[in-house]
């Protein structure tokens, strides 16, 4: 029995796929060997076949391509502005904050208030999660 490797890097797994593919090992066998060494959740058979196909097409890089995504609108400046508005009126609602910051989604505002600023609703008044003398 082989020693299993926990939590491998993606490029490590792709390097193994590239190596075994160069040795003309079939994708199903590559997947079986990956599961044997890295565990059940390493990579699906379909993804192994995709990587093999890309390597056969001439790909040499084992790192994933950078993906485009929506940039986060949450930054320290925005968090400070939201905190300032909250301190002006502790009896605010997310809807009132949304009226002040219409360019930001309500869910993002709620995430800022609860996760970044650690405020919790207490008897219709927002207070810091850790009560301190202010």
């Amino acid at each position: 029995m082989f020693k299993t490797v926990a939590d491998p890097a993606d490029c490590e797994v792709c390097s193994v796929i590239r190596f075994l593919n160069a040795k003309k090992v079939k994708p199903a066998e590559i997947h079986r060997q990956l599961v044997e060494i890295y565990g059940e959740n390493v990579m699906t058979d379909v993804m192994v076949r995709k990587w093999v196909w890309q390597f056969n097409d001439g790909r040499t890089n084992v790192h994933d391509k950078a993906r485009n995504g929506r940039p986060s609108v949450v930054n320290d400046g925005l968090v400070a502005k939201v905190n300032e508005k909250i301190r002006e009126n502790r009896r605010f609602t997310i809807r009132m904050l949304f009226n002040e910051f219409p360019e930001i989604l309500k869910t993002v505002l709620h995430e800022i208030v609860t996760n970044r600023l650690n405020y919790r609703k207490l008897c219709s008044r927002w207070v810091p999660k850790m009560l301190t003398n202010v």
Side-chain angles (χ1 to χ4, degrees):
M1 189 69 184
F2 300 105
K3 179 180 175 188
T4 59
V5 177
D7 199 26
D10 291 340
C11 60
E12 177 184 351
V13 175
C14 292
S15 297
V16 171
I17 293 171
R18 184 174 178 209
F19 173 76
L20 292 174
N21 184 50
K23 289 182 72 173
K24 303 293 185 207
V25 177
K26 300 214 180 286
E29 177 62 20
I30 293 173
H31 181 257
R32 189 194 64 72
Q33 289 182 27
L34 288 173
V35 168
E36 186 177 350
I37 298 298
Y38 296 109
E40 287 292 325
N41 296 326
V42 64
M43 189 181 282
T44 64
D45 184 51
V46 174
M47 287 303 295
V48 171
R49 291 177 189 280
K50 178 185 158 214
W51 278 100
V52 167
W53 176 75
Q54 288 180 1
F55 288 135
N56 288 339
D57 244 15
R59 181 177 179 155
T60 58
N61 189 358
V62 294
H63 298 283
D64 278 337
K65 296 176 185 170
R67 293 184 178 99
N68 292 334
R70 174 181 269 180
S72 177
V73 297
V74 179
N75 57 35
D76 292 335
L78 178 63
V79 172
K81 288 178 186 175
V82 171
N83 194 26
E84 184 180 314
K85 284 293 180 188
I86 291 171
R87 292 197 180 263
E88 287 176 11
N89 177 15
R90 294 281 182 144
R91 295 177 189 263
F92 74 95
T93 63
I94 299 296
R95 181 167 287 141
M96 290 167 59
L97 275 180
F98 180 69
N99 291 337
E100 295 290 329
F101 303 99
E103 68 279 0
I104 302 169
L105 295 173
K106 290 179 189 173
T107 55
V108 174
L109 285 170
H110 188 269
E111 186 264 330
I112 290 171
V113 170
T114 57
N115 295 341
R116 296 287 292 269
L117 295 173
N118 288 325
Y119 284 106
R120 300 291 181 257
K121 195 77 161 174
L122 180 65
C123 298
S124 75
R125 189 174 188 186
W126 289 88
V127 296
K129 184 176 180 183
M130 298 295 292
L131 296 177
T132 58
N133 293 334
V134 179

XYZ file of all heavy atoms in Angstrom, residues 34-126:
786
model
N -4.167 8.603 -9.278
C -4.303 9.824 -8.489
C -5.162 9.583 -7.250
O -4.824 10.030 -6.146
C -4.906 10.948 -9.332
C -4.023 11.568 -10.405
C -4.824 12.545 -11.247
C -2.828 12.259 -9.779
N -6.287 8.892 -7.429
C -7.168 8.591 -6.305
C -6.452 7.699 -5.296
O -6.601 7.869 -4.080
C -8.480 7.940 -6.806
C -9.290 7.355 -5.666
C -9.302 8.960 -7.586
N -5.655 6.780 -5.777
C -4.924 5.863 -4.902
C -3.936 6.619 -4.011
O -3.786 6.305 -2.832
C -4.177 4.838 -5.757
C -3.491 3.748 -4.987
C -2.843 2.731 -5.919
O -3.086 2.777 -7.138
O -2.088 1.903 -5.401
N -3.279 7.632 -4.556
C -2.264 8.361 -3.809
C -2.844 9.580 -3.077
O -2.530 9.819 -1.910
C -1.123 8.828 -4.744
C -0.433 7.624 -5.365
C -0.126 9.702 -4.002
C 0.235 6.692 -4.364
N -3.702 10.346 -3.737
C -4.175 11.609 -3.171
C -5.549 11.533 -2.512
O -5.977 12.488 -1.883
C -4.197 12.694 -4.254
C -2.830 13.033 -4.786
C -2.456 12.668 -6.069
C -1.914 13.712 -4.004
C -1.198 12.976 -6.557
C -0.657 14.030 -4.484
C -0.304 13.651 -5.768
O 0.938 13.969 -6.237
N -6.265 10.459 -2.686
C -7.584 10.344 -2.075
C -8.709 10.605 -3.063
O -8.489 11.023 -4.196
N -9.925 10.354 -2.611
C -11.113 10.428 -3.469
C -11.387 11.820 -4.034
O -11.901 11.949 -5.129
C -12.353 9.960 -2.698
C -12.410 8.477 -2.467
C -12.606 7.684 -3.745
O -13.318 8.162 -4.641
O -12.037 6.591 -3.840
N -11.066 12.860 -3.284
C -11.449 14.215 -3.692
C -10.365 14.947 -4.458
O -10.368 16.158 -4.523
C -11.832 15.030 -2.451
C -13.049 14.455 -1.773
O -13.937 13.930 -2.427
N -13.076 14.529 -0.462
N -9.444 14.227 -5.051
C -8.325 14.882 -5.715
C -8.755 15.602 -6.990
O -8.524 16.784 -7.156
C -7.170 13.894 -5.987
C -7.581 12.811 -6.933
C -5.976 14.616 -6.535
N -9.373 14.901 -7.909
C -9.798 15.474 -9.185
C -10.733 14.472 -9.849
O -10.526 13.270 -9.731
C -8.574 15.740 -10.074
C -8.869 16.516 -11.331
S -7.414 16.786 -12.375
C -6.590 18.100 -11.529
N -11.722 14.978 -10.546
C -12.654 14.071 -11.207
C -12.006 13.472 -12.454
O -11.033 14.007 -12.991
C -13.944 14.806 -11.624
O -13.616 15.800 -12.593
C -14.631 15.427 -10.417
N -12.594 12.372 -12.900
C -12.119 11.704 -14.109
C -12.229 12.636 -15.318
O -11.352 12.664 -16.179
C -12.922 10.424 -14.330
C -12.425 9.619 -15.511
O -11.199 9.370 -15.567
O -13.242 9.261 -16.382
N -13.294 13.421 -15.357
C -13.509 14.344 -16.476
C -12.412 15.402 -16.511
O -11.890 15.754 -17.583
C -14.909 14.995 -16.365
C -15.098 16.071 -17.419
C -15.994 13.942 -16.481
N -12.017 15.910 -15.342
C -10.957 16.919 -15.295
C -9.611 16.327 -15.696
O -8.810 16.993 -16.359
C -10.866 17.534 -13.893
C -12.006 18.481 -13.574
S -12.185 19.838 -14.739
C -10.663 20.724 -14.483
N -9.362 15.082 -15.310
C -8.121 14.422 -15.731
C -8.096 14.326 -17.250
O -7.084 14.631 -17.887
C -7.984 13.036 -15.079
C -6.828 12.259 -15.680
C -7.813 13.171 -13.578
N -9.215 13.917 -17.840
C -9.295 13.809 -19.300
C -9.086 15.178 -19.956
O -8.436 15.281 -20.998
C -10.632 13.226 -19.726
C -10.765 11.769 -19.356
C -12.154 11.225 -19.726
N -12.350 9.913 -19.179
C -11.874 8.787 -19.710
N -11.177 8.839 -20.833
N -12.086 7.633 -19.133
N -9.616 16.234 -19.348
C -9.438 17.591 -19.885
C -7.962 17.980 -19.877
O -7.443 18.504 -20.874
C -10.258 18.584 -19.060
C -10.096 20.013 -19.497
C -10.842 20.951 -18.549
C -10.226 22.324 -18.689
N -10.190 23.092 -17.490
N -7.280 17.717 -18.767
C -5.855 18.049 -18.687
C -5.045 17.221 -19.682
O -4.133 17.737 -20.327
C -5.342 17.851 -17.265
C -5.643 19.019 -16.371
C -6.653 19.122 -15.469
C -4.940 20.256 -16.313
N -6.630 20.341 -14.844
C -5.575 21.058 -15.339
C -3.838 20.765 -16.977
C -5.137 22.341 -15.028
C -3.397 22.048 -16.657
C -4.049 22.817 -15.700
N -5.360 15.936 -19.808
C -4.654 15.084 -20.778
C -4.853 15.624 -22.183
O -3.909 15.718 -22.974
C -5.135 13.614 -20.671
C -4.656 12.792 -21.862
C -4.655 13.000 -19.364
N -6.069 16.008 -22.500
C -6.369 16.562 -23.820
C -5.548 17.833 -24.064
O -4.985 18.024 -25.145
C -7.868 16.841 -23.911
C -8.285 17.499 -25.189
C -8.393 16.924 -26.415
C -8.608 18.876 -25.370
N -8.785 17.852 -27.353
C -8.924 19.066 -26.722
C -8.689 19.962 -24.527
C -9.299 20.290 -27.244
C -9.057 21.193 -25.040
C -9.349 21.341 -26.381
N -5.475 18.710 -23.046
C -4.709 19.945 -23.196
C -3.219 19.667 -23.358
O -2.545 20.321 -24.159
C -4.946 20.867 -21.999
C -6.329 21.481 -21.991
C -6.545 22.385 -20.798
O -5.663 22.584 -19.967
N -7.742 22.953 -20.702
N -2.687 18.702 -22.598
C -1.272 18.368 -22.733
C -0.991 17.752 -24.101
O 0.045 18.009 -24.699
C -0.814 17.431 -21.616
C -0.723 18.105 -20.269
C -1.218 17.490 -19.137
C -0.140 19.351 -20.134
C -1.133 18.100 -17.904
C -0.045 19.974 -18.895
C -0.549 19.350 -17.775
N -1.903 16.946 -24.622
C -1.738 16.382 -25.960
C -1.829 17.464 -27.033
O -1.264 17.312 -28.116
C -2.789 15.297 -26.226
C -2.506 14.042 -25.436
O -1.387 13.796 -25.004
N -3.543 13.247 -25.228
N -2.548 18.548 -26.721
C -2.679 19.667 -27.652
C -1.472 20.593 -27.636
O -1.434 21.562 -28.386
C -3.935 20.474 -27.297
C -4.970 20.435 -28.385
O -4.861 19.579 -29.275
O -5.885 21.276 -28.344
N -0.531 20.346 -26.744
C 0.681 21.145 -26.729
C 0.869 22.005 -25.497
O 1.862 22.731 -25.389
N -0.044 21.962 -24.569
C 0.108 22.744 -23.343
C 1.272 22.194 -22.533
O 1.442 20.988 -22.386
C -1.176 22.693 -22.519
C -1.083 23.507 -21.252
C -2.375 23.506 -20.485
N -2.207 24.292 -19.276
C -3.178 24.885 -18.649
N -4.413 24.777 -19.114
N -2.955 25.572 -17.555
N 2.078 23.101 -21.959
C 3.198 22.677 -21.122
C 3.091 23.215 -19.705
O 3.704 22.684 -18.795
C 4.537 23.148 -21.723
O 4.497 24.575 -21.855
C 4.783 22.502 -23.074
N 2.306 24.260 -19.512
C 2.165 24.884 -18.203
C 1.208 24.065 -17.335
O 0.107 23.724 -17.766
C 1.634 26.310 -18.364
C 1.667 27.101 -17.083
O 2.048 26.597 -16.030
N 1.267 28.358 -17.177
N 1.628 23.757 -16.101
C 0.783 22.959 -15.205
C -0.042 23.837 -14.274
O -0.826 23.318 -13.478
C 1.619 21.966 -14.369
C 2.251 20.919 -15.257
C 2.653 22.687 -13.531
N 0.100 25.147 -14.376
C -0.657 26.070 -13.524
C -1.929 26.492 -14.241
O -1.946 26.667 -15.461
C 0.178 27.300 -13.183
C 1.412 26.969 -12.404
N 1.386 26.671 -11.065
C 2.703 26.860 -12.787
C 2.608 26.405 -10.648
N 3.432 26.510 -11.683
N -3.014 26.670 -13.462
C -4.271 27.150 -14.027
C -4.097 28.566 -14.545
O -3.305 29.352 -14.020
C -5.372 27.153 -12.972
C -6.007 25.791 -12.789
O -5.937 24.974 -13.730
O -6.576 25.544 -11.717
N -4.869 28.887 -15.568
C -4.853 30.244 -16.098
C -5.544 31.165 -15.108
O -6.446 30.765 -14.384
C -5.593 30.291 -17.435
C -4.940 29.475 -18.513
C -5.772 29.478 -19.773
C -5.146 28.555 -20.800
N -6.033 28.348 -21.940
N -5.112 32.424 -15.088
C -5.753 33.408 -14.224
C -7.180 33.629 -14.710
O -7.432 33.722 -15.912
C -4.980 34.716 -14.243
N -8.088 33.703 -13.779
C -9.496 33.878 -14.138
C -9.914 35.317 -13.875
O -9.525 35.916 -12.883
C -10.360 32.941 -13.315
C -10.126 31.493 -13.649
C -11.095 30.616 -12.857
N -10.922 29.239 -13.198
C -10.216 28.381 -12.484
N -9.613 28.778 -11.391
N -10.106 27.125 -12.858
N -10.743 35.820 -14.754
C -11.319 37.137 -14.542
C -12.531 36.983 -13.660
O -13.293 36.033 -13.765
C -11.740 37.771 -15.869
C -10.555 38.108 -16.733
O -9.464 38.332 -16.220
N -10.761 38.145 -18.030
N -12.718 37.918 -12.797
C -13.887 37.894 -11.933
C -14.264 39.312 -11.568
O -13.540 40.267 -11.852
N -15.376 39.425 -10.949
C -15.817 40.731 -10.517
C -14.938 41.178 -9.357
O -14.803 40.480 -8.367
C -17.270 40.665 -10.066
C -17.764 41.961 -9.468
C -19.176 41.840 -9.014
N -20.026 42.242 -10.105
C -21.336 42.247 -10.046
N -21.960 41.823 -8.985
N -22.036 42.640 -11.079
N -14.328 42.348 -9.466
C -13.493 42.819 -8.369
C -14.346 43.187 -7.155
O -15.483 43.634 -7.293
C -12.791 44.054 -8.943
C -13.645 44.492 -10.066
C -14.331 43.267 -10.594
N -13.803 42.999 -6.007
C -14.523 43.298 -4.782
C -14.654 44.799 -4.618
O -13.708 45.552 -4.834
C -13.790 42.709 -3.582
O -14.460 43.071 -2.394
N -15.842 45.243 -4.229
C -16.059 46.667 -3.994
C -15.746 47.029 -2.550
O -15.700 48.194 -2.195
C -17.509 47.083 -4.331
C -17.802 46.882 -5.798
C -18.509 46.343 -3.473
N -15.544 46.029 -1.713
C -15.285 46.272 -0.299
C -13.804 46.608 -0.118
O -12.933 45.823 -0.457
C -15.664 45.042 0.546
C -15.380 45.297 2.010
C -17.118 44.669 0.340
N -13.555 47.796 0.397
C -12.188 48.196 0.726
C -12.217 48.921 2.063
O -13.283 49.204 2.619
C -11.563 49.047 -0.383
C -12.371 50.284 -0.690
O -12.971 50.886 0.187
N -12.395 50.671 -1.960
N -11.057 49.238 2.583
C -10.982 49.857 3.912
C -11.650 51.217 3.951
O -12.274 51.583 4.954
C -9.522 49.967 4.351
C -8.902 48.605 4.612
O -9.663 47.658 4.912
O -7.664 48.487 4.509
N -11.557 51.969 2.861
C -12.204 53.273 2.809
C -13.713 53.171 2.895
O -14.364 53.939 3.619
N -14.272 52.224 2.167
C -15.720 52.021 2.197
C -16.168 51.557 3.581
O -17.179 52.035 4.098
C -16.132 51.003 1.132
C -17.612 50.652 1.089
C -18.452 51.875 0.739
C -17.868 49.534 0.114
N -15.424 50.654 4.175
C -15.766 50.165 5.519
C -15.745 51.326 6.510
O -16.631 51.447 7.365
C -14.800 49.040 5.951
C -15.019 48.659 7.399
C -14.974 47.822 5.056
N -14.769 52.220 6.390
C -14.684 53.379 7.285
C -15.880 54.308 7.091
O -16.445 54.827 8.069
C -13.376 54.123 7.044
N -16.289 54.528 5.825
C -17.452 55.386 5.560
C -18.727 54.788 6.146
O -19.547 55.492 6.735
C -17.627 55.590 4.056
C -16.594 56.476 3.422
C -16.824 56.569 1.922
C -15.720 57.331 1.235
N -15.878 57.331 -0.226
N -18.910 53.472 5.969
C -20.092 52.799 6.519
C -20.066 52.891 8.043
O -21.090 53.190 8.678
C -20.153 51.322 6.048
C -21.233 50.569 6.792
C -20.393 51.257 4.547
N -18.923 52.696 8.654
C -18.806 52.779 10.106
C -19.136 54.185 10.598
O -19.795 54.364 11.627
C -17.401 52.364 10.546
C -17.331 52.110 12.030
O -18.317 51.778 12.668
N -16.146 52.275 12.587
N -18.706 55.192 9.856
C -19.011 56.581 10.220
C -20.514 56.830 10.198
O -21.060 57.459 11.111
C -18.288 57.510 9.241
C -18.427 58.981 9.547
C -17.681 59.821 8.534
O -16.528 59.490 8.223
O -18.279 60.810 8.055
N -21.192 56.336 9.155
C -22.651 56.503 9.064
C -23.353 55.784 10.212
O -24.337 56.283 10.761
C -23.174 55.961 7.725
C -22.889 56.855 6.567
C -23.669 58.140 6.686
C -23.375 59.035 5.509
N -23.958 60.350 5.687
N -22.844 54.624 10.583
C -23.461 53.871 11.677
C -23.306 54.634 12.989
O -24.240 54.726 13.792
C -22.828 52.468 11.777
C -23.229 51.625 10.572
C -23.241 51.772 13.070
C -22.491 50.316 10.469
N -22.147 55.195 13.210
C -21.900 55.927 14.462
C -22.719 57.219 14.539
O -23.012 57.696 15.631
C -20.425 56.210 14.631
C -19.651 54.922 14.858
C -18.295 55.185 15.426
N -17.596 53.940 15.635
C -17.535 53.301 16.797
N -18.181 53.772 17.836
N -16.846 52.198 16.908
N -23.104 57.778 13.386
C -23.977 58.954 13.377
C -25.369 58.596 13.879
O -26.008 59.392 14.556
C -24.085 59.534 11.963
C -22.863 60.261 11.483
C -23.012 60.724 10.045
O -24.131 60.663 9.483
O -21.995 61.142 9.460
N -25.848 57.409 13.502
C -27.198 56.986 13.884
C -27.173 55.483 14.147
O -27.196 54.688 13.206
C -28.195 57.322 12.779
C -29.592 56.834 13.097
O -29.901 56.484 14.234
N -30.440 56.808 12.094
N -27.182 55.101 15.407
C -27.126 53.680 15.760
C -28.435 52.952 15.439
O -28.462 51.744 15.389
C -26.824 53.500 17.258
C -25.470 53.964 17.675
C -24.443 52.932 17.320
N -23.135 53.366 17.777
C -22.230 52.567 18.240
N -22.462 51.296 18.315
N -21.070 53.028 18.627
N -29.504 53.693 15.261
C -30.792 53.066 14.965
C -31.030 53.013 13.461
O -32.072 53.391 12.954
C -31.915 53.828 15.654
C -31.837 53.755 17.148
C -32.925 54.573 17.792
N -32.704 54.659 19.217
C -33.293 53.865 20.093
N -34.138 52.950 19.688
N -33.027 54.002 21.361
N -30.051 52.516 12.765
C -30.137 52.454 11.310
C -30.639 51.073 10.874
O -30.690 50.130 11.656
C -28.764 52.720 10.686
C -27.810 51.562 10.829
C -27.683 50.633 9.817
C -27.064 51.404 11.974
C -26.827 49.561 9.946
C -26.203 50.339 12.112
C -26.079 49.414 11.096
N -31.016 51.008 9.634
C -31.331 49.735 9.006
C -30.439 49.596 7.777
O -29.856 50.577 7.312
C -32.810 49.667 8.569
O -33.041 50.679 7.590
C -33.764 49.846 9.742
N -30.351 48.399 7.284
C -29.569 48.176 6.065
C -30.171 48.976 4.921
O -29.453 49.525 4.086
C -29.494 46.673 5.729
C -28.806 45.898 6.858
C -28.797 46.436 4.405
C -27.359 46.261 7.081
N -31.495 49.097 4.899
C -32.152 49.875 3.849
C -31.749 51.349 3.930
O -31.525 51.999 2.905
C -33.663 49.738 3.964
C -34.397 50.529 2.871
C -35.845 50.186 2.765
N -35.935 48.871 2.154
C -36.817 47.946 2.518
N -37.668 48.178 3.475
N -36.852 46.781 1.914
N -31.613 51.893 5.157
C -31.179 53.278 5.308
C -29.732 53.438 4.809
O -29.399 54.428 4.166
C -31.284 53.716 6.771
C -32.713 53.875 7.259
S -32.868 54.021 9.043
C -31.884 55.455 9.381
N -28.894 52.467 5.103
C -27.522 52.498 4.597
C -27.506 52.416 3.074
O -26.695 53.071 2.428
C -26.703 51.349 5.175
C -26.055 51.566 6.520
C -25.296 50.320 6.937
C -25.143 52.761 6.507
N -28.402 51.601 2.531
C -28.493 51.464 1.079
C -28.870 52.796 0.440
O -28.385 53.132 -0.645
C -29.498 50.372 0.706
C -29.649 50.161 -0.768
C -28.613 49.616 -1.514
C -30.810 50.519 -1.420
C -28.739 49.422 -2.880
C -30.956 50.322 -2.794
C -29.917 49.773 -3.517
N -29.718 53.570 1.099
C -30.074 54.895 0.588
C -28.869 55.831 0.599
O -28.749 56.704 -0.255
C -31.216 55.498 1.402
C -32.519 54.753 1.187
O -32.699 54.086 0.174
N -33.422 54.843 2.151
N -27.969 55.654 1.560
C -26.752 56.463 1.633
C -25.700 56.003 0.614
O -24.918 56.795 0.116
C -26.149 56.394 3.037
C -26.998 57.007 4.113
C -27.061 58.523 4.011
O -26.069 59.139 3.556
O -28.107 59.090 4.384
N -25.657 54.699 0.352
C -24.685 54.098 -0.570
C -25.428 53.296 -1.644
O -25.392 52.070 -1.642
C -23.720 53.179 0.181
C -22.977 53.841 1.303
C -23.386 53.708 2.607
C -21.853 54.597 1.028
C -22.688 54.312 3.640
C -21.142 55.205 2.050
C -21.574 55.071 3.360
N -26.124 53.963 -2.569
C -26.951 53.227 -3.540
C -26.139 52.393 -4.533
O -26.682 51.486 -5.167
C -27.732 54.331 -4.258
C -26.907 55.558 -4.076
C -26.208 55.407 -2.759
N -24.849 52.667 -4.661
C -24.037 51.921 -5.617
C -23.600 50.562 -5.076
O -23.016 49.761 -5.799
C -22.799 52.743 -6.022
C -21.777 52.947 -4.920
C -22.107 54.077 -3.945
O -23.134 54.740 -4.084
O -21.294 54.279 -3.034
N -23.882 50.296 -3.801
C -23.463 49.047 -3.166
C -24.695 48.197 -2.874
O -25.708 48.696 -2.379
C -22.700 49.343 -1.858
C -21.494 50.225 -2.159
C -22.261 48.056 -1.192
C -20.834 50.785 -0.948
N -24.615 46.918 -3.174
C -25.732 46.012 -2.939
C -26.037 45.890 -1.450
O -25.139 45.999 -0.612
C -25.408 44.621 -3.493
C -25.231 44.522 -5.006
C -24.740 43.132 -5.367
C -26.534 44.815 -5.700
N -27.299 45.608 -1.143
C -27.695 45.446 0.259
C -26.972 44.275 0.909
O -26.589 44.352 2.078
C -29.209 45.244 0.356
C -30.014 46.467 0.042
C -31.502 46.176 0.139
C -32.299 47.341 -0.398
N -33.723 47.036 -0.471
N -26.777 43.219 0.162
C -26.089 42.057 0.736
C -24.641 42.387 1.070
O -24.105 41.917 2.080
C -26.137 40.862 -0.226
O -25.603 41.258 -1.496
C -27.548 40.348 -0.396
N -24.009 43.217 0.247
C -22.630 43.627 0.514
C -22.590 44.532 1.741
O -21.710 44.398 2.591
C -22.014 44.327 -0.720
C -20.647 44.895 -0.404
C -21.944 43.361 -1.889
N -23.563 45.441 1.859
C -23.638 46.294 3.043
C -23.843 45.454 4.305
O -23.211 45.698 5.330
C -24.768 47.314 2.900
C -24.487 48.475 1.960
C -25.749 49.282 1.716
C -23.386 49.361 2.509
N -24.712 44.477 4.225
C -24.943 43.601 5.382
C -23.667 42.855 5.745
O -23.336 42.703 6.924
C -26.077 42.620 5.085
C -26.483 41.830 6.272
N -25.914 40.617 6.575
C -27.374 42.089 7.258
C -26.438 40.149 7.685
N -27.341 41.030 8.118
N -22.927 42.401 4.747
C -21.666 41.698 5.002
C -20.660 42.624 5.671
O -19.945 42.223 6.595
C -21.109 41.153 3.681
C -19.885 40.272 3.828
C -18.598 41.018 3.626
O -18.577 41.993 2.866
O -17.593 40.623 4.248
N -20.597 43.885 5.237
C -19.684 44.856 5.849
C -20.063 45.082 7.306
O -19.214 45.049 8.199
C -19.690 46.192 5.070
C -19.026 46.023 3.706
C -18.997 47.293 5.860
C -19.189 47.229 2.793
N -21.354 45.296 7.559
C -21.817 45.598 8.914
C -21.598 44.417 9.850
O -21.100 44.571 10.964
C -23.312 46.013 8.890
C -23.885 46.094 10.290
C -23.461 47.346 8.180
N -21.934 43.218 9.401
C -21.877 42.069 10.305
C -20.510 41.405 10.358
O -20.052 41.026 11.439
C -22.924 41.012 9.913
O -22.702 40.613 8.566
C -24.322 41.545 10.094
N -19.837 41.267 9.221
C -18.575 40.525 9.199
C -17.348 41.419 9.362
O -16.408 41.038 10.065
C -18.444 39.720 7.903
C -19.504 38.647 7.805
O -20.108 38.266 8.788
N -19.753 38.180 6.606
N -17.328 42.561 8.699
C -16.138 43.415 8.764
C -16.152 44.299 10.010
O -15.128 44.506 10.643
C -16.038 44.291 7.515
C -15.833 43.554 6.211
C -14.445 42.976 6.046
N -13.394 43.944 5.893
C -12.951 44.424 4.743
N -13.483 44.017 3.617
N -11.979 45.308 4.723
N -17.332 44.865 10.358
C -17.420 45.766 11.503
C -17.885 45.058 12.775
O -17.864 45.649 13.852
C -18.353 46.942 11.176
C -17.860 47.856 10.059
C -18.927 48.877 9.701
C -16.571 48.546 10.468
N -18.347 43.838 12.644
C -18.793 43.011 13.784
C -19.908 43.657 14.593
O -19.920 43.596 15.819
C -17.619 42.666 14.699
C -16.693 41.673 14.065
O -17.139 40.794 13.344
N -15.408 41.820 14.313
N -20.873 44.287 13.913
C -22.052 44.802 14.592
C -23.124 43.723 14.610
O -23.241 42.919 13.682
C -22.601 46.042 13.880
C -21.805 47.296 14.138
C -20.982 47.829 13.170
C -21.907 47.961 15.353
C -20.259 48.979 13.393
C -21.182 49.116 15.587
C -20.361 49.622 14.608
O -19.650 50.757 14.840
N -23.920 43.729 15.663
C -25.051 42.821 15.797
C -26.280 43.639 16.170
O -26.176 44.630 16.887
C -24.797 41.766 16.880
C -23.588 40.887 16.627
C -23.843 39.961 15.435
N -22.708 39.105 15.183
C -21.828 39.280 14.214
N -21.934 40.286 13.398
N -20.837 38.450 14.042
N -27.434 43.195 15.737
C -28.678 43.887 16.046
C -29.085 43.536 17.472
O -29.140 42.373 17.852
C -29.755 43.437 15.060
C -30.969 44.293 15.027
C -30.704 45.544 14.264
C -31.995 46.187 13.839
N -31.781 47.453 13.226
N -29.368 44.555 18.284
C -29.755 44.341 19.668
C -30.880 45.299 19.999
O -30.663 46.498 20.130
C -28.560 44.571 20.600
C -28.800 44.393 22.082
C -29.136 42.931 22.379
C -27.576 44.797 22.864
N -32.092 44.785 20.107
C -33.261 45.603 20.452
C -33.392 46.818 19.538
O -33.445 47.959 19.995
C -33.210 46.039 21.906
S -33.251 44.681 23.065
N -33.374 46.570 18.259
C -33.504 47.573 17.208
C -32.417 48.642 17.272
O -32.628 49.784 16.891
C -34.891 48.224 17.216
O -35.005 49.128 18.291
N -31.274 48.259 17.799
C -30.132 49.166 17.827
C -28.879 48.366 17.542
O -28.652 47.315 18.129
C -30.033 49.816 19.200
C -29.028 50.907 19.268
C -29.108 51.587 20.592
N -28.252 52.759 20.567
C -28.008 53.506 21.600
N -28.577 53.212 22.745
N -27.223 54.541 21.489
N -28.059 48.838 16.653
C -26.837 48.134 16.295
C -25.751 48.469 17.302
O -25.511 49.624 17.616
C -26.371 48.523 14.896
C -27.253 47.985 13.832
C -28.362 48.568 13.326
C -27.106 46.750 13.146
N -28.915 47.780 12.361
C -28.159 46.657 12.223
C -26.192 45.716 13.204
C -28.324 45.584 11.376
C -26.345 44.641 12.349
C -27.409 44.575 11.454
